[in-house]
Amino acid sequence: MAGHAKRRALNAAAKSLLIVGLGTSVVPLDSAVNIGFPAIVGHFGLAIPMIQWVVIAYVLTQTSLMLSFGRIGDMLGYRRIFLFGTGISTLAFAACALAPSFAALLAARIVQGIGAGLILSCGPALATSLFPEAMRTRILAHYMTMFGIGWALGPSMFGLLVDRFGWSAVFSFRVPVALAAFVLGWTLPRRPRSPPEPFDAAGGALLALALSCLLLALNRLRPPGPDTALFATVAVAGFLLFYQRERRFVRPIIDFGHFRNGDFTALNVMNTLINLAAFSIMLLAPFYLSRIPGLSLPVAGLVLAVSPLGVVVAAPVAGRVALSCGPRMIALSGCGLCSVGLFGISLSGSAADIPILVLSMAIQGFGLGLFQVAYFDIVTAVMPAHDRGVAGALGMATRTIGNVMGATVLMLVFRSLRGSGAEADTFQAAFQATFRIAAAIPAGLILFDLVRGRGP
């Protein structure tokens, strides 16, 4: 009888996990927006550089608020934050699709960033709260699998939709997904009410200011100017003020005591840098594919989906072998495979090399999936159970910062290597060299970890 009750409870938890995965999937599906950039530029009559604000408005909002949302989730309950996130996202997707002007689209993207920040800040914590603590690693692996599925569907499925229905499809087709997650989210189990806790609103504002200015400074690095220095200065000042305030606050947004652990700090730096290297695919592979004669947009989208499909395959593998291998070994193995995959991409030279490109992207994605599961497992183990929302938000925030750094740093590298030439040979040489530099980053992380001789 007890065994039957346990199975029923696990089945109910599994259904709840699928709801969390459904709601989470609308965020990585945003990778499809890049496919719609040319159509958005044409529809609103924009200068091409203006399209960057479609990304900036969304990423800045999401990243700057995520840690604060994680703390609020720890205080009020992850189910409530999930419902807010999916509900706001539903409205935001509809507003983006129906935007009558570019300014209205940007405003809707800011609202979409709020919804995404709410969903990602509570997603890992909500998923693990549904199951016994002993199953934490496996559940995080399942969560990353569902995240990877959304990431893979973005460029592959929406390439077809944009071809058929236009740029607004990247938003309108997510409305029913977010709405279904919102409606089904009401069936998620409620957490017992916790005693009221104070929230550091001033600290949250300082953190949002500092993170926003950091991302803007990174965006202005190509080429740097006076505004770059201004944003960087405000970011440093904001972080220092935030740090001083959090040390005095009774219930800080994030406890900086965890960063006295060198292994914990190193792991978060590694997550940032491995995502910096991984972003080279979304940044440069589309340009490579666009130079292949006769390759359609939907087929290019399918090729770009190979890396996130590698994450989908790797996540459950990491969950199964975590107990026998340990998360640190899984993380280092992931770094190694990422390095091999990125170096393999650098060997692509022509249309005939698409098989090499696809295989290398699959290896890189598999390595990234291994690393991400191990990373989230270590972070959630180090931080207390009542800080699970902050732990998950920290993982998602460092991932996003790594992507933004990759978009800036790797493009600077590519442009400097290519110089002023426009011929195909110049592009190919710069493409290959940039990917070799990207491959050196995870290889360097392995060397760094081995030299330190420690790790979780």
Side-chain angles (χ1 to χ4, degrees), residues 163-420:
D163 256 5
R164 180 75 181 272
F165 300 104
W167 67 270
S168 62
V170 299
F171 302 110
S172 60
F173 276 80
R174 280 185 282 174
V175 172
V177 180
L179 180 60
F182 173 73
V183 173
L184 293 171
W186 291 94
T187 67
L188 294 172
R190 295 175 180 269
R191 191 181 76 171
R193 283 188 176 275
S194 303
E197 298 178 357
F199 174 70
D200 185 10
L206 282 172
L207 179 60
L209 174 66
L211 284 171
S212 296
C213 288
L214 170 64
L215 296 179
L216 286 170
L218 290 172
N219 177 259
R220 292 294 191 277
L221 281 176
R222 51 176 206 265
D227 54 345
T228 310
L230 174 62
F231 285 129
T233 302
V234 175
V236 171
F239 281 124
L240 289 174
L241 291 171
F242 174 71
Y243 173 73
Q244 292 296 329
R245 181 174 179 84
E246 295 308 284
R247 290 181 62 191
R248 299 191 302 268
F249 205 78
V250 178
R251 194 75 168 88
I253 292 174
I254 184 167
D255 184 357
F256 283 100
H258 297 303
F259 291 94
R260 297 191 190 101
N261 180 336
D263 294 332
F264 182 81
T265 302
L267 184 69
N268 282 282
V269 172
M270 288 175 71
N271 191 47
T272 302
L273 292 179
I274 201 166
N275 279 287
L276 183 160
F279 197 73
S280 57
I281 293 177
M282 292 303 294
L283 181 69
L284 296 177
F287 294 101
Y288 173 84
L289 294 171
S290 69
R291 302 173 76 88
I292 299 176
L295 191 70
S296 67
L297 183 63
V299 173
L302 288 172
V303 174
L304 291 175
V306 171
S307 179
L309 282 175
V311 174
V312 172
V313 175
V317 173
R320 284 195 296 270
V321 303
L323 291 178
S324 57
C325 295
R328 177 173 178 260
M329 184 57 63
I330 293 173
L332 292 179
S333 299
C335 285
L337 289 172
C338 279
S339 183
V340 170
L342 291 171
F343 183 80
I345 294 173
S346 76
L347 302 177
S348 303
S350 66
D353 292 330
I354 282 187
I356 294 176
L357 179 69
V358 169
L359 177 61
S360 300
M361 288 172 65
I363 293 172
Q364 182 274 336
F366 191 89
L368 184 62
L370 292 180
F371 180 87
Q372 296 282 217
V373 172
Y375 167 79
F376 275 103
D377 186 38
I378 295 170
V379 169
T380 53
V382 170
M383 299 184 74
H386 60 260
D387 286 344
R388 285 283 163 85
V390 174
L394 178 64
M396 292 297 181
T398 51
R399 175 185 179 275
T400 305
I401 291 171
N403 287 339
V404 174
M405 290 176 65
T408 299
V409 174
L410 294 173
M411 185 56 76
L412 278 173
V413 170
F414 175 78
R415 285 181 173 176
S416 63
L417 290 171
R418 190 179 186 188
S420 58

Side-chain angles (χ1 to χ4, degrees), residues 120-146:
L120 292 184
S121 71
C122 71
L126 179 56
T128 54
S129 72
L130 299 169
F131 294 84
E133 181 65 13
M135 298 179 65
R136 184 190 69 241
T137 305
R138 288 169 56 193
I139 300 310
L140 286 170
H142 291 319
Y143 180 80
M144 289 309 301
T145 298
M146 294 183 288

Side-chain angles (χ1 to χ4, degrees), residues 3-17:
H4 180 66
K6 183 178 180 181
R7 281 195 300 273
R8 287 183 59 187
L10 288 176
N11 287 337
K15 293 176 182 177
S16 296
L17 180 62

